[in-house]
Amino acid sequence: NVQPTFLKLKPENLKEAGTIDQLKFGAKLCVASAKAYIASPSMQGIGKQIIAVVPSSMQSKLTPNLALAGASIVAQLLLLLVYLLLGRFLGFTKVFVFVCLVALMLAVSSPDWMEGYKANKPFKLIARSAAINFPLRWKENMVNMTGYTNISDRMALASLVLIVLFSGYTLFTPSPPSGPPQMPNMPMGGSNAHRIPPRG
C-alpha cells in the first residue's frame, strides 16, 4: 500500500502571489466557470432550442455545445456590426471609450451582480447594492492590481473621478469633421501673381 505523504508549510516560506499569477488564476477561474455554466441544464436546454430552429438536415450534426458556440459567434458578429455602425455615426473613439467604461464598471461590481443573481434578488436591489459597494470594490481592485496596500479611500475615489472625467470629456467633445482636407486656394494670375520679366 502506498503511504500518504503529508506536506508541512512554513509561513515564512510562503509568498504572496504577484499580479501576473493573480491574472493567470483569474483567467483559469473564468474559463472553468464558463465551462461549468455551459454544461448547466439551463444552457444545454437553450442549445437544444437552437438546434430545433435550424434546418432538419443539420440537426443531426449539431450538439448543444456546438449550437451555443455558433450562437455566440453570430452574437459577436452582430455586436461588431453594431460597433461599426455606431462608430461610423458617433465616432469609433467615443464608442470604444463608452464600451470600455461600461465593461470596467461591470467587472468591478461583478461580485455584487453574481451574488444578487444567485440569491434571486430583484434587479433594482442588485443595482442599488452594486452602486453602494462600488467604491469599496474599486479600492480592492486597485490594491490587488498594484500591490500597494496603503491606498486610501480618497486616493481610490480620486482615481475613479479622473477616469470618469476623462471618459466624459472624450464622449462629449464634438468630433472633428471627417471630410477630406481642403487645400488653400493659390492665386493663379492677376496683379498678385509674380511675373518673370522678359530678357532683352
Side-chain angles (χ1 to χ4, degrees), residues 49-69:
Q49 293 177 4
I50 296 174
I51 294 175
V53 175
V54 301
S56 56
S57 59
M58 299 177 58
Q59 292 181 0
S60 60
K61 301 178 182 179
L62 292 177
T63 62
N65 291 340
L66 287 177
L68 291 172

Side-chain angles (χ1 to χ4, degrees), residues 42-100:
S42 60
M43 292 302 296
Q44 292 295 311
I46 295 176
K48 292 178 181 179
Q49 293 177 4
I50 296 174
I51 294 175
V53 175
V54 301
S56 56
S57 59
M58 299 177 58
Q59 292 181 0
S60 60
K61 301 178 182 179
L62 292 177
T63 62
N65 291 340
L66 287 177
L68 291 172
S72 65
I73 293 174
V74 173
Q76 291 177 11
L77 292 177
L78 290 176
L79 289 176
L80 178 60
L81 180 61
V82 171
Y83 172 76
L84 294 176
L85 291 176
L86 292 178
R88 181 73 176 177
F89 293 101
L90 302 178
F92 292 101
T93 303
K94 292 184 178 181
V95 177
F96 179 76
V97 170
F98 177 77
V99 172
C100 290

